[in-house]
């Protein structure tokens, strides 16, 4: 499994001038130079785990009867996007054929694979919320990127799908991959972006394949789900998770320390290590041990709040138009998961079940307070007291 390309746009990114007409008068606006939206694809056989899911993809390639719409669903960070890119690399390559082993494969030195490695293939389109930063629409550029803007969908999928492929050959002429497809709309009651995609799914251009990658399939319209072939991806084993994280430069000891929090997701494990969340466990352990014995640790609340706020500040600063409110909630969610992981272990210890259940209830109350916009310091002060009570 390959790690996703960074979704962050560096503040040091070089700027380029883009001319466009504004209010009837020619104007010049500063837009960031576009960054790659994906990592170079790896061979399908190099994807770690997911034997059943990859079997479905191989069977489709073998039959030559290719469905035009797919949903790759499962937990975040387990390799769905990696598999989607590997699948796309085979679909677009006219050298796809059986090798000496009898397995389907492509020539790794083909022009198609070269273009994909350099992220220059004109017929592979990866649609992500970060494309909003390059929109001609100022309001779209200024958005918090909590959803995939309809303008992004219209430009990079709907209109792009109507154009003829730039290259000949391959099972597919164009492949569109929508990452984090659950972000297409804030609400299913007003699903403008999904309805735009639905029209394309209902009347797909010839030799066009659309792959929706999502960790929350229930946030997709039933009418979209019914028109797609669904492929389920599950958590990896601990050994597979550590192996993938190690291939991305994560130290084995750090990987082992974060395994309990990663839940079989290499992507999550890598993020937890790189953003320092794994280190929270050691810092909080003495205070949590006191709370587990029913003793109030006066430093626990301020320490938890400080870790979350520091994480959130770094996250908001790293994302164009980053929202501190959203980052605070994301940071708090990581803290709550750390605490919940410890609490769940207590459920398996005789005599500790009641306290473990009490911790879980306390975490749920704290989570509700975060979403009610209560100040972080107050949330975690209250949580610290609840954990000890």
């Amino acid at each position: 499994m390959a790690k996703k390309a960074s979704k962050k746009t560096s503040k040091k990114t070089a700027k380029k001038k883009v001319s466009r007409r504004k209010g009837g008068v020619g104007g010049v606006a500063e837009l960031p130079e576009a960054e790659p939206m994906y990592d170079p694809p790896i061979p399908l056989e190099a994807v770690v785990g997911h034997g059943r899911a990859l079997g479905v993809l191989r069977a489709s390639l073998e039959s030559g009867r290719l469905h035009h719409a797919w949903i790759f669903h499962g937990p975040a960070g387990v390799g769905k996007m990696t598999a989607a890119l590997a699948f796309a690399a085979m679909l677009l390559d006219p050298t796809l054929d059986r090798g000496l082993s009898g397995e389907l494969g492509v020539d790794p030195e083909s022009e198609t694979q070269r273009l994909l490695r350099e992220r220059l293939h004109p017929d592979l389109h990866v649609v992500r919320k970060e494309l909003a930063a390059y929109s001609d629409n100022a309001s779209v550029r200024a958005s918090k990127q909590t959803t995939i803007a309809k303008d992004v969908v219209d430009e990079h999928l709907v209109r792009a799908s109507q154009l003829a492929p730039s290259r000949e050959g391959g099972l597919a002429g164009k492949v569109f991959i929508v990452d984090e497809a659950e972000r297409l709309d804030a609400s299913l009651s007003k699903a403008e972006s999904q309805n735009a995609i639905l029209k394309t799914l209902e009347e797909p251009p010839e030799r066009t394949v659309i792959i929706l990658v999502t960790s929350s399939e229930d946030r997709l319209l039933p009418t979209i789900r019914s028109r797609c072939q669904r492929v389920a991806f599950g958590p990896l084993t601990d050994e597979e998770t550590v192996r993938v994280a190690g291939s991305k430069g994560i130290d084995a000891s750090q990987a082992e320390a974060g395994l309990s929090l990663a839940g079989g997701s290499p992507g999550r494990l890598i993020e937890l290590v790189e953003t320092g969340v794994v280190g929270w466990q050691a810092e909080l352990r003495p205070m949590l041990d006191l709370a587990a014995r029913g003793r109030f640790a006066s430093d626990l609340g301020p320490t938890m709040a400080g870790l979350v706020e520091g994480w959130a500040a770094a996250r908001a600063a790293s994302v164009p138009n980053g929202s501190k409110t959203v980052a605070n909630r994301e940071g708090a969610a990581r803290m709550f998961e750390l605490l919940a992981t410890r609490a769940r272990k207590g459920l398996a210890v005789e005599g500790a079940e009641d306290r473990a259940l009490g911790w879980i209830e306390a975490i749920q109350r704290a989570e509700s307070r975060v979403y009610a916009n209560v100040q972080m310091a107050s949330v975690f002060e209250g949580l610290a007291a609840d954990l000890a009570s």
Side-chain angles (χ1 to χ4, degrees):
M1 191 198 80
K3 181 182 172 186
K4 285 184 182 178
S6 172
K7 296 181 181 180
K8 302 173 183 177
T9 302
S10 169
K11 291 184 175 179
K12 297 179 181 179
T13 300
K15 300 286 185 177
K16 66 177 181 179
K17 290 188 176 181
V18 179
S19 297
R20 66 172 180 269
R21 192 165 299 280
K22 184 177 182 181
V25 180
V28 175
E30 292 285 337
L31 295 180
E33 187 173 310
E35 293 186 355
M37 287 289 114
Y38 60 92
D39 275 347
I42 64 173
L44 196 63
E45 61 269 19
V47 177
V48 176
H50 308 301
R52 181 175 295 180
L54 299 184
V56 172
L57 303 184
R58 290 192 183 97
S60 178
L61 293 170
E62 291 274 359
S63 71
R65 295 188 298 272
L66 189 66
H67 202 280
H68 72 281
W70 299 74
I71 293 176
F72 289 11
H73 64 98
V78 298
K80 303 183 300 297
M81 186 64 181
T82 300
L85 289 167
F87 189 42
M90 297 184 79
L91 294 175
L92 291 167
D93 199 328
T95 69
L96 180 67
D97 202 353
R98 294 188 187 281
L100 296 177
S101 65
E103 296 288 334
L104 279 177
V106 297
D107 177 2
E109 301 305 318
S110 71
E111 178 68 3
T112 296
Q113 298 305 312
R114 182 190 69 78
L115 289 170
L116 290 169
R117 281 194 297 271
E118 296 176 4
R119 293 175 285 200
L120 295 174
H121 198 293
D123 296 320
L124 174 60
H125 303 260
V126 176
V127 180
R128 281 194 166 134
K129 58 184 174 61
E130 287 78 14
L131 285 171
Y134 313 112
S135 172
D136 281 348
N137 187 320
S139 64
V140 174
R141 291 200 307 276
S143 69
K144 297 298 184 182
Q145 296 181 10
T146 55
T147 63
I148 301 176
K150 186 175 183 297
D151 287 53
V152 168
V153 171
D154 286 341
E155 178 180 354
H156 297 281
L157 194 156
V158 176
R159 292 200 294 272
S161 69
Q162 302 303 317
L163 302 176
S166 299
R167 298 177 59 81
E168 297 295 326
L171 288 177
K174 284 177 174 288
V175 178
F176 294 84
I177 304 175
V178 182
D179 192 26
E180 294 185 297
E182 68 275 7
R183 292 181 179 269
L184 281 166
D185 295 287
S187 169
L188 291 184
S189 63
K190 190 180 180 183
E192 295 179 342
S193 297
Q194 291 193 52
N195 279 314
I197 291 177
L198 180 59
K199 292 178 182 178
T200 304
L201 294 180
E202 290 171 337
E203 299 179 10
E206 186 178 358
R207 299 180 62 245
T208 294
V209 174
I210 299 173
I211 305 172
L212 305 179
V213 177
T214 179
S215 57
S216 298
E217 189 189 13
D218 59 337
R219 291 188 59 82
L220 298 179
L221 291 170
T223 45
I224 283 184
R225 298 201 299 269
S226 68
R227 284 168 171 78
C228 295
Q229 181 161 342
R230 299 167 59 253
V231 183
F233 290 76
L236 299 186
T237 66
D238 284 354
E239 184 275 330
E240 290 169 338
T241 302
V242 171
R243 176 151 51 104
V244 173
S247 72
K248 299 302 169 186
I250 300 300
D251 179 80
S253 61
Q254 290 181 306
E256 292 288 345
L259 268 179
S260 63
L261 299 175
S265 167
R268 181 171 175 80
L269 176 59
I270 292 166
E271 186 226 289
L272 292 171
V273 171
E274 291 182 342
T275 61
V277 175
V278 167
W280 293 2
Q281 297 177 104
E283 187 168 351
L284 294 172
R285 186 173 294 116
M287 292 171 274
L288 292 175
D289 288 346
L290 278 177
R293 296 196 295 270
R295 296 173 57 187
F296 177 69
S298 60
D299 290 343
L300 179 57
T303 302
M304 289 191 294
L307 290 171
V308 167
E309 290 177 348
W311 186 97
R315 170 59 65 93
S318 69
V319 178
N321 306 316
S323 165
K324 184 68 185 302
T325 298
V326 171
N328 270 330
R329 291 176 178 176
E330 291 177 347
R334 284 154 178 76
M335 180 63 73
F336 295 146
E337 181 55 35
L338 184 153
L339 298 173
T341 298
R342 175 164 176 152
R344 286 192 292 269
K345 291 179 180 178
L347 292 173
V349 178
E350 187 175 353
E353 301 96 324
D354 288 346
R355 180 168 292 279
L357 288 171
W359 276 36
I360 291 171
E361 291 173 358
I363 294 165
Q364 290 172 338
R365 288 194 296 272
E367 186 175 28
S368 297
R369 298 185 75 202
V370 167
Y371 278 87
N373 294 320
V374 176
Q375 287 189 340
M376 284 293 165
S378 177
V379 169
F380 287 106
E381 281 287 357
L383 178 57
D386 285 347
L387 295 179
S389 65

